[in-house]
Amino acid sequence: MENRITLPKLVEWLKEVKDPEIPVVSLVDLGVITDVKLSSQKVIVNMTPTFTGCPAMDYMVNDVKATLKSKGVEDVEVIVSFNRQWSSNNISEKGRKALKEFGLAPPPHYDTIVDIEILEQTPCPFCSSNNTELKTPFGPTLCRAIHYCHSCKQSFEQFKPV
Amino acid sequence: MNIEAIKNLLYKMADDQLILGHRNSEWIGQGPLLEEDIAFASMAQDKVGQSYTLYQMLNELGEDEPDKVAFLRMAEQFHNSQFVELPIGEYDFSLIRHFLFDTADYYRFDMLINSSIEPISLLARKLKGECRYHSMHADGWIKKLGNGTDESINRLQSALSYAIPYALGIFEESKMEDTLIEENIFGGEILLRERWIEHIDKVISQTQLVLPDLALESPHFGGRYGIHTEHLQPLLNEMSEVIATDPTADW
């Protein structure tokens, strides 16, 4: 079994592991899995949290291990570190599309620093209007902010830029 | 590399985050607005998570494991500033504390990005990004309520005057301050205080509040050396209720 495991296969399998709080986005597309290494002895998966206080991190680590195990990968080590840090810029295009379909405004790309201006110009994920307002930078999870759309008159959540 | 100086720095940061995180969590279910309830709960979660990461770093330097360090020390073993242990009071005080403390926190992590100790520099970059939201939130409310009604302005002004001597206590220097600065581990409390003053002055000048003359204030020092108010030990007792009841409990 071991010799049939390849790096592209591992990445495909890891794409099956979803964010427990946003079950439409894989940890690969979210950018939480930062590196995968395959040696003759074992598989090493590097991960980094979106927020240091993210309570879902332990679940994600266990999900990664369980998923690879179900594919026949026995020896998996998961390393959680801040060496390669998560930034909302790391979310893939596929991940952004999935977030929007889920009803979460994807985070805008930013250059060096997150400014209040980019938070206040968040297009509505439901009607795409730019006539929106930031209500609070804190939401139901650490990684979400709450906005209001004046066009379709609905609150919406945003995966916030960090 | 001076391990004692690094531990000293990490302890005061971790203890500040842990204690203020717990204080912030007392707003859960009691915020003046649902959004504020959620904001203080989120900031509490951020801070407790940040303290955990800092205690983990201390653990790697030979200190006890995070849960033991967090829940099994007595008040005099804590290095947090007295400011963070004060009860939450009314929303005006909690908001002013949030503004004054989180501004300092943001600039502390900004300075630590330049630390000569790589793991500290990497973590600081991460934490600065999170604290930016705390600081943004605080600035927004100070500007809104500091230009609001007579009641909101008066309440914030008296909370500010009460809080300032405690807030200045954040910048109490450690015994190893010179080492921290010479070895480029941390730029030092004096520099941090200058950057803090610049920011709070800028925000307050956009409101009808008046920043007290800082030169006339005597800071409430002592917290960094284990001297605390009567409010810390009862909080620690409450925080450690589970582990005290059952030391093998898992949570």
Side-chain angles (χ1 to χ4, degrees):
Chain A
M1 191 76 188
E2 283 288 326
N3 57 7
R4 303 220 313 267
I5 298 169
T6 62
L7 204 53
K9 260 191 201 169
L10 282 170
V11 175
E12 276 315 302
W13 291 335
L14 286 171
K15 283 185 181 168
E16 293 176 19
V17 190
K18 309 294 184 198
D19 180 320
E21 282 165 336
I22 313 166
V24 293
V25 184
S26 80
L27 298 187
V28 174
D29 285 315
L30 195 58
V32 163
I33 291 177
T34 53
D35 194 33
V36 186
K37 282 196 183 73
L38 173 64
S39 74
S40 52
Q41 286 85 33
K42 64 173 168 186
V43 172
I44 299 175
V45 181
N46 279 277
M47 296 176 70
T48 194
T50 53
F51 278 72
T52 48
C54 179
M57 200 62 212
D58 288 346
Y59 291 94
M60 296 192 212
V61 169
N62 289 335
D63 282 354
V64 163
K65 287 181 182 164
T67 301
L68 292 184
K69 201 159 192 169
S70 74
K71 306 291 181 187
V73 188
E74 286 302 326
D75 205 353
V76 181
E77 186 187 356
V78 177
I79 301 171
V80 178
S81 81
F82 297 99
N83 295 349
R84 278 175 68 181
Q85 294 184 1
W86 185 82
S87 149
S88 53
N89 286 345
N90 297 351
I91 302 177
S92 70
E93 282 313 315
K94 190 176 163 220
R96 284 167 197 277
K97 202 164 161 274
L99 285 176
K100 189 166 185 282
E101 282 164 10
F102 188 64
L104 269 178
H109 282 284
Y110 64 94
D111 285 337
T112 46
I113 192 157
V114 176
D115 227 306
I116 190 116
E117 281 76 34
I118 67 166
L119 276 170
E120 283 181 344
Q121 294 158 5
T122 301
C124 172
F126 305 122
C127 74
S128 302
S129 164
N130 286 318
N131 185 13
T132 65
E133 188 188 341
L134 172 69
K135 286 306 224 185
T136 163
F138 299 102
T141 69
L142 290 182
C143 50
R144 302 189 207 178
I146 299 174
H147 298 252
Y148 184 76
C149 175
H150 291 289
S151 294
C152 69
K153 314 233 180 285
Q154 294 185 78
S155 305
F156 66 90
E157 293 172 15
Q158 176 202 26
F159 202 106
K160 66 195 187 197
V162 177
Chain B
M1 188 168 88
N2 190 318
I3 298 285
E4 283 315 304
I6 295 171
K7 280 190 192 173
N8 193 291
L9 174 70
L10 293 176
Y11 260 120
K12 71 176 168 189
M13 294 196 295
D15 289 349
D16 270 350
Q17 305 298 77
L18 179 72
I19 300 302
L20 189 54
H22 274 271
R23 282 297 185 208
N24 281 348
S25 75
E26 292 175 26
W27 278 107
I28 295 171
Q30 310 208 48
L33 295 168
L34 179 61
E35 286 83 355
E36 280 310 275
D37 206 293
I38 295 169
F40 273 83
S42 297
M43 292 188 290
Q45 197 180 344
D46 271 337
K47 286 190 191 315
V48 174
Q50 292 168 357
S51 76
Y52 179 73
T53 311
L54 292 163
Y55 289 132
Q56 265 181 325
M57 214 178 256
L58 278 160
N59 185 221
E60 283 160 20
L61 294 174
E63 295 298 288
D64 229 330
E65 56 189 85
D67 279 350
K68 285 191 179 159
V69 171
F71 298 121
L72 295 177
R73 282 179 299 159
M74 299 300 288
E76 61 271 19
Q77 294 169 292
F78 272 77
H79 306 272
N80 59 279
S81 56
Q82 292 181 358
F83 192 28
V84 298
E85 72 205 35
L86 298 176
I88 57 173
E90 300 222 8
Y91 180 70
D92 48 41
F93 172 72
S94 277
L95 179 61
I96 283 285
R97 172 164 61 185
H98 160 40
F99 169 61
L100 297 176
F101 179 84
D102 286 330
T103 301
D105 218 26
Y106 176 77
Y107 286 106
R108 186 183 293 278
F109 293 130
D110 185 48
M111 283 168 68
L112 284 171
I113 289 177
N114 299 318
S115 177
S116 57
I117 310 297
E118 204 195 0
I120 294 184
S121 159
L122 283 169
L123 182 62
R125 189 177 299 277
K126 179 82 187 161
L127 301 191
K128 182 191 164 191
E130 298 176 2
C131 290
R132 182 157 178 76
Y133 282 100
H134 300 193
S135 183
M136 204 185 267
H137 174 260
D139 291 356
W141 277 106
I142 293 293
K143 287 182 201 166
K144 200 173 283 185
L145 295 178
N147 292 310
T149 62
D150 284 348
E151 188 188 1
S152 74
I153 293 164
N154 290 337
R155 273 173 169 263
L156 281 192
Q157 184 64 56
S158 52
L160 180 64
S161 305
Y162 171 74
I164 280 287
Y166 284 102
L168 290 170
I170 296 172
F171 310 106
E172 181 175 22
E173 294 184 286
S174 83
K175 265 185 282 186
M176 291 161 168
E177 199 73 10
D178 292 346
T179 312
L180 290 172
I181 297 170
E182 277 160 25
E183 298 190 13
N184 293 319
I185 298 167
F186 171 53
E189 299 293 341
I190 292 177
L191 188 59
L192 173 59
R193 192 181 123 134
E194 280 171 21
R195 298 191 63 188
W196 175 78
I197 292 173
E198 201 183 316
H199 184 98
I200 62 165
D201 193 36
K202 194 179 86 190
V203 175
I204 289 176
S205 67
Q206 296 169 53
T207 67
Q208 295 178 53
L209 303 171
V210 181
L211 185 63
D213 184 349
L214 300 181
L216 301 176
E217 301 282 344
S218 4
H220 287 303
F221 283 147
R224 305 301 188 196
Y225 294 86
I227 299 163
H228 294 284
T229 66
E230 75 269 26
H231 305 293
L232 182 58
Q233 192 58 52
L235 175 65
L236 296 175
N237 294 346
E238 188 181 296
M239 281 161 52
S240 57
E241 251 171 47
V242 174
I243 206 169
T245 310
D246 179 2
T248 63
D250 201 7
W251 63 84

